[in-house]
Amino acid sequence: MAEAQFAAETSTRGEWVRQANRFTERITADGSSRWPVEPGRYRLVVSLACPWAHRSVIVRRLLGLEDVLSLGIVDPIRDERGWRFTLDPGEKDPATGIAFLSEAYLTADPEFAGRCTVPAVLDVAEREVVTNDYPQLTLDLSTEWTAHHREGAPQLYPEHLRAEIDEVNAVVYADVNNGVYRCGFATSQQAYEQAFERLFARLDWLSERLADRRYLVGDAISEADVRLFTTLVRFDAVYHGHFKCNRQKLAEMPVLWAYARDLFQTPGFGDTVDFDHIKRHYYATHHQINPTGIVPAGPDLSGWDTPHGREALGGKPFGTGTPPA
């Protein structure tokens, strides 16, 4: 993120203000939008470093949508030109032929002047962004793409639990998912401390909630667990030090640490985590926070595979479904 963009997303009180999603059209099963669900038509573009994009990678894998929704992965290092396809041969996305995600943004809106974000779903043939609305994207993968779910796919957004999932997601987003950014990108002491207090108050609340239940809502993994996991898995590697979220490490919060390890060891979660991309992106891209660009050697990541003991709380990860292949 360039310095000018960073400043544009900070209030006069030094508070981090997240850029609104520009492309919010939905891909629908019933054709009510101009973007119908259609296998092979769309490409999900992500950074493996980004927690918002990571959600969609997990949900895509859990639901078995790999064969109908292709995946493009950008370089974890984002320069002043934005997300780049330098990991691919010829440094271009093999499906669309574009070198920078910004090309798809500008095709969809030639006047777009904001920051190009991931995840983004592109129309492959038109090489344009369909949506970058990350909160709705994963919900739609669960509810609009059902005809293409694998056999045994879990119910991540079951109708009878949606109100509770939405309620949990709202507070987790405000205080945790976005809260770590409000700590890291604050430009005043007051804004930082307010975000810090809200973050750890919510983590304490989550510890209490999860002390006697295996998952956030219901007896199986839901959208709520996916959204919390992608922040927790990055906590010690980047948020604790880089974003100054340092009251405690995740590994020093027993309930949340066990909960996060339980999910990490569940198919579809840990196998989608790339700590190298995560660390290189945050430490080498946010020059206003880490001007030297040095990527720390730690922390020790071996603890993620240690026993968590949360099976004793009951519940089944996939409910009546099965794990992804």
Side-chain angles (χ1 to χ4, degrees), residues 45-48 72-76 83-87 101 118 277:
V45 175
V46 303
S47 163
L48 298 180
I73 299 173
V74 295
D75 194 303
W83 296 109
R84 311 170 296 164
F85 289 97
T86 52
L87 303 180
L101 182 57
V118 287
H277 276 222

Side-chain angles (χ1 to χ4, degrees), residues 210-223:
L210 290 164
D212 58 1
R213 57 194 301 170
R214 191 171 180 185
Y215 303 110
L216 278 173
V217 181
D219 297 324
I221 291 163
S222 74
E223 175 80 16

